[in-house]
Amino acid sequence: MAEECNHDCSSCGTTCGADTRPKDLHEAPHELSDIRHVIAVVSGKGGVGKSLVTGLLSVAMSRKGKHVGIMDADITGPSIPKMFGVSGEVCGSEKGAYPVTTAGGIDIVSMNLLLDDDTDPVVWRGPIISGVVKQFWHDFIWEDVDYMFVDMPPGTGDVPLTVMQSIKLDGIIIVTSPQELVSMIVEKAVKMAEAMKVPILGLVENMSYFECPDCGKRHAIYGQSHIEEIAKEYNLDVLGRIPIQPALAAECDAGQIETTEADYLDEATAKLLALDE
């Protein structure tokens, strides 16, 4: 006669379907990888500048002497390689594939580095795209990476869900812009992170203002910011405000983001460095 269940699943060897303990779905990276911190850069919608924030954070951390890696998880709209001026084929061996390294020493994996022509569209359904992101994690050899940034696609769909479930994240940074509509979308990202029990490191506002080069006055082209309201409501830190700056945009378009003198994310950099303490 079977013993009566004591509801202590940890001491039971029977498979009865009653085990309701949360399952750890995190997947290990490649056995030769060494990655100390992983931070995802997210937003609830597209067009707010996640890739720019990813690029600026990567450059800032690299200048602090950290070895940085970027996983470009925006499979259908990758922009990281162009921003850093890298191209060419990904190299590999029987052990695995290796990221492409920028002039400044940042390791990058992106779909655009795997295409014959970087203008070729990736016309795949969600599960296949999510599978590619997982391959970026466990098929590539990330050597001695202090900080890996994951440039996420917009929204709260397949890929963000896959990353949050499959990769153990130290936290996420949410990117927003000043419009009130975007503020509502940011709340979706916040609530998704909370539901997935992923720490939120803070908020970064892009396109925050435009500073007139003639008079020096700041203009709120996209309306007044709501980032402080959101930060207060969810008890989050504001980690930076990036203005509309044509010179910075030109550097990104030319593949020269590693030469930029923009330093709008000092608070975010300090928050990331604190992860080592």
Side-chain angles (χ1 to χ4, degrees):
M1 181 177 176
E3 294 184 9
E4 185 177 351
C5 179
N6 63 5
H7 303 290
D8 181 9
C9 298
S10 63
S11 64
C12 179
T14 304
T15 303
C16 66
D19 188 351
T20 59
R21 291 173 297 175
K23 305 297 190 297
D24 187 353
L25 301 177
H26 294 144
E27 299 184 9
H30 193 285
E31 61 181 0
L32 296 179
S33 290
D34 181 14
I35 307 166
R36 281 172 278 286
H37 300 294
V38 185
I39 297 91
V41 181
V42 310
S43 77
K45 70 179 294 296
V48 297
K50 291 180 303 301
S51 295
L52 174 63
V53 172
T54 300
L56 290 176
L57 286 172
S58 299
V59 170
M61 295 303 289
S62 181
R63 289 176 178 172
K64 294 292 185 181
K66 304 299 182 180
H67 185 197
V68 175
I70 302 177
M71 181 194 296
D72 189 355
D74 194 351
I75 303 300
T76 60
S79 55
I80 291 294
K82 180 174 177 57
M83 189 179 295
F84 282 85
V86 297
S87 59
E89 296 182 358
V90 168
C91 297
S93 66
E94 67 278 358
K95 296 179 181 179
Y98 292 89
V100 174
T101 303
T102 70
I106 295 173
D107 293 337
I108 292 176
V109 169
S110 172
M111 193 66 211
N112 260 14
L113 298 174
L114 301 172
L115 299 173
D116 292 332
D117 186 331
D118 62 11
T119 62
D120 289 342
V122 176
V123 188
W124 295 340
R125 295 190 183 276
I128 298 177
I129 293 174
S130 296
V132 171
V133 173
K134 286 186 177 183
Q135 287 183 293
F136 285 175
W137 175 245
H138 54 62
D139 288 358
F140 278 78
I141 301 172
W142 298 90
E143 296 180 319
D144 195 30
V145 171
D146 295 310
Y147 290 83
M148 172 185 283
F149 294 97
V150 183
D151 185 20
M152 296 274 236
T156 56
D158 284 344
V159 171
L161 181 61
T162 295
V163 170
M164 290 186 188
Q165 285 184 329
S166 303
I167 300 176
K168 188 172 180 57
L169 300 174
D170 289 83
I172 66 171
I173 291 176
I174 300 176
V175 183
T176 181
S177 60
Q179 303 100 309
E180 187 171 358
L181 170 64
V182 174
S183 299
M184 178 192 69
I185 300 298
V186 168
E187 293 188 57
K188 294 181 182 291
V190 170
K191 290 177 180 178
M192 180 181 187
E194 290 176 343
M196 301 299 295
K197 302 189 185 314
V198 176
I200 303 172
L201 300 179
L203 307 174
V204 171
E205 185 175 74
N206 189 32
M207 298 177 284
S208 188
Y209 58 88
F210 173 74
E211 186 171 306
C212 176
D214 296 324
C215 68
K217 184 177 179 180
R218 292 186 176 184
H219 301 271
I221 292 179
Y222 288 104
Q224 294 302 316
S225 172
H226 297 272
I227 193 170
E228 293 290 351
E229 299 168 17
I230 298 176
K232 183 177 180 180
E233 180 177 355
Y234 290 97
N235 194 29
L236 299 174
D237 294 329
V238 177
L239 300 179
R241 293 177 174 85
I242 304 172
I244 299 171
Q245 190 186 71
L248 176 57
E251 288 169 337
C252 293
D253 288 344
Q256 298 294 322
I257 191 171
E258 288 178 292
T259 68
T260 186
E261 296 181 1
D263 57 355
Y264 305 112
L265 299 178
D266 287 345
E267 291 180 54
T269 303
K271 188 78 175 274
L272 294 172
L273 288 171
L275 296 175
D276 275 336
E277 297 176 356

